[in-house]
Amino acid sequence: MKNYKHVFDTLQKEIGKVVIGQEAIIEQILIAMIAEGNALLEGYPGLAKTLSIRTLADLMELKFSRIQNTPDLMPSDITGTYIIEEVSGKRQFKFQKGPIFGNIVLADEINRATPKTQSALLEAMQERQVTVGNTTFKLDEPFFVLATQNPIEQEGTYPLPEAQADRFLLKIKVSYPTFDEEQKIVDIYTSGASVPKMRTLLNKQHLSHLQSVAKQVPIAKDLKIKALKIIEATRTKKDLIQYGASPRASIGLILASKARALIKGRNYVSSEDIETLVFPILRHRIVLNFEAERKGLTTDDAIKELIKKSK
Amino acid sequence: MKEFFRVIRESSITINSIIFFDKFLDTLIVFLLIYFILMVLDIYPFFAILPAAMFLIITLYLDFEKNKAVMIEEKYPELHERLRTAFDHAPVENEVVNELHAEVMQEMKKVSVSSFIDTKKTTSKIGVIMGLCFIILLLAAIGINVKLNMIFKDSGLFGYPSSGDGSGSKGDTPGAGGGEDKNIFGDEKVATLGDEELQLQLKTVSYEVLSGNNYKEPPDVNFEETFPDTICADDPQGCGNEQYSEDKTPVEHAELVKNYFLNIAK
């Protein structure tokens, strides 16, 4: 397990040359990838969301594609479409694959796309395949969708419905860097120094192996029960939460905890893993009731309350 | 994996033994306390075995059900969460679990049995047991008890007549009425010794009969070689007569008796 920790430490170090700070964000993105899940990153503009994902894709020798969501984006712009191609004087339809056919797909500002376009992307996330006309195309493995959204602009946006947001394993909140980190960022990007070139550390086979090893990490029975009790509490705590999380959240929490244990070089899941990951797992899966919103509580506050009750 | 199962088995057996010893001491304390109370109340004290046995069974069941891995982890924080995970996945074999088992087995070598025995607590429990035994033996020797019939004599409870109730009869139950309870003990008799009425007391614990009468020890009298004067007062020769000093049985008679017994022995 120490070898695996070394791999992830090296990965973080390499990313740290380009992305200053945001170690927690990088870690959560890695957790989502190892747990074979998708992640939704929410943060203000200019916080290196796109840069982090792109850098990670470079380090892992994975095909990176980007979808810039706008209100006029069509589903075929994501999935691909048939084009007429002339071959040897003959015209025929050829399927032109869309940006969804990558290994890491960055869906920028997903809340700006129309619900129809969002559903095309989300269907691909769920089914790992794309249907165009009568033909189904399987997506390449591994396949991750890392979507971003801006919490500021609410006009002209189409917020993801809760049922669709449930398909994302983690909702990662990207925050501002610290003062020292910002100083470092300014020093690097204003000094004219070139951005260091990334060397490939992992490939598809390595990633696939890491994903299978993560599933082997054991979790104690009482910790599993604790995790399930927290998820169950989201459905029973009616004084704060109107709609609770589904069993998808239970699966996601256990898998993500195992992935985090692997990243930390541990051969067992600890309660710290569960308590850390319950926030990104649940914050997009629960809906607060009117009373909680009136008090000004956030989903993170409600989750803190649930963790306190589970102890 | 077999090695790990052996480790689990050994640690469970060891901890169960310690739990049993600890609960056995607690049960002894409970038994002695109840025995003491029953003894003071003049109730058959060996009834204390029943609640003590139930206490032992219930506490053993509750403690045996506890997670042994968590008990070990509490004493050895470096095994925190690792040991219970390894125990829960004992039959699993994969790269990660095998590594966990190997690490845990290495750490388990540092676990010692003495860390689970609270010396102060055990010593104080043994001290309490010895104290209780001493008190019980002391009270048994003195014979202090509080008879229930003395407490409830005039209360009107448990079949005893209330004070002011002449007949005290409460039904056909023997001993229910105040005037009828004498029948079960039979007619009153008074034990006498000569002209003196005997005062006897039966100790229920040691079953000794103590006498309440004041008897003096007979005085020591030193008999001289000859008979006392009162025996030979009528003889004109007094105690100086030879017949009072020696045995005057004829030799022929002595031989006769001796041969008789010899022939019987043949």
Side-chain angles (χ1 to χ4, degrees), chain A residues 1 4 213 216-223 267-268 270-271, chain B residues 70 80-82 84-85 88-89 94-97 99-100 103:
Chain A
M1 296 304 279
Y4 294 122
V213 170
Q216 293 175 17
V217 175
I219 177 169
K221 275 185 194 143
D222 58 341
L223 284 179
N267 46 26
Y268 62 97
S270 90
S271 55
Chain B
V70 172
H80 180 58
E81 289 177 341
R82 282 201 287 168
R84 71 184 86 162
T85 311
D88 289 341
H89 291 80
N94 63 41
E95 179 191 340
V96 182
V97 174
E99 191 185 307
L100 178 65
E103 278 180 18

